[in-house]
Amino acid sequence: MEKTLENILQMYQITTSTQAIEPCFEGEAKAVVREEGGAVYFVKQTPAAIISHACLENGSSLKGRGDAVKHLTGFIRRKPIPIDEKRRIFAFPIHSQRSPDNVWLFYFHVRSAKTEGLIEFRDHSTMPTEVSAYSIQQQLLRTSHCMSHFTDIG
């Protein structure tokens, strides 16, 4: 999708269709959002701002959710974030949350990261990454563990 002034969103609302939020360093857009089915949006908010806003819309700050994850799981770095546990929206960072290069992936959309440098989503779309497949698999496991504390699995 070509980026033009007409298709840069002021804000983005995370939904169950959100697959990934990547940083963008060109022009007014600060983030690129990928959705299930191939939709791509350029957004004036940073990835962290999009995640933070979604957390607030669901009753807690990003810091509060991160603190709860740390308390319940012991995870200190690259903590998964329960954005909306009722709708089972969980995101995880592939770098430090403070890194300007951080990408957020959404757990239920990631199919695999078996190939180095490539993430496959459940809709069979792919996204290149510089992070190892092992690292993505570890983040998936950590997010699964986090989900067990925040959702009623039974």
Side-chain angles (χ1 to χ4, degrees):
M1 176 177 173
E2 186 176 315
K3 182 174 42 165
T4 65
L5 288 177
E6 298 87 51
N7 64 17
I8 298 177
L9 302 175
Q10 290 289 328
M11 293 183 68
Y12 176 82
Q13 184 70 41
I14 291 172
T15 69
T16 55
S17 295
T18 308
Q19 291 178 316
I21 304 174
E22 305 171 73
C24 182
F25 302 105
E26 299 176 21
E28 290 185 56
K30 304 296 181 220
V32 178
V33 178
R34 295 172 182 258
E35 282 189 347
E36 181 178 38
V40 176
Y41 300 98
F42 294 93
V43 186
K44 290 185 179 181
Q45 295 171 286
T46 64
I50 295 169
I51 297 288
S52 181
H53 179 76
C55 288
L56 287 172
E57 288 290 313
N58 288 289
S60 182
S61 67
L62 175 56
K63 182 182 181 331
R65 294 207 176 247
D67 289 348
V69 169
K70 180 180 174 183
H71 174 75
L72 293 170
T73 66
F75 300 151
I76 297 171
R77 293 183 178 84
R78 296 188 305 141
K79 295 182 288 276
I81 298 296
I83 291 174
D84 183 343
E85 53 274 19
K86 289 180 184 131
R87 294 190 306 156
R88 299 175 61 92
I89 300 174
F90 288 79
F92 61 88
I94 65 171
H95 297 293
S96 164
Q97 291 182 24
R98 293 187 186 122
S99 170
D101 296 322
N102 184 41
V103 173
W104 289 89
L105 297 176
F106 289 75
Y107 179 83
F108 282 107
H109 288 284
V110 178
R111 181 184 196 108
S112 71
K114 293 179 184 171
T115 305
E116 291 299 319
L118 198 63
I119 295 166
E120 182 183 8
F121 295 105
R122 294 198 187 278
D123 68 358
H124 301 290
S125 64
T126 59
M127 182 180 93
T129 181
E130 295 177 8
V131 176
S132 72
Y134 175 79
S135 180
I136 298 297
Q137 293 296 347
Q138 290 300 99
Q139 283 299 91
L140 287 167
L141 287 172
R142 290 161 57 96
T143 306
S144 176
H145 181 72
C146 174
M147 287 170 46
S148 72
H149 288 282
F150 285 89
T151 59
D152 180 10
I153 295 174

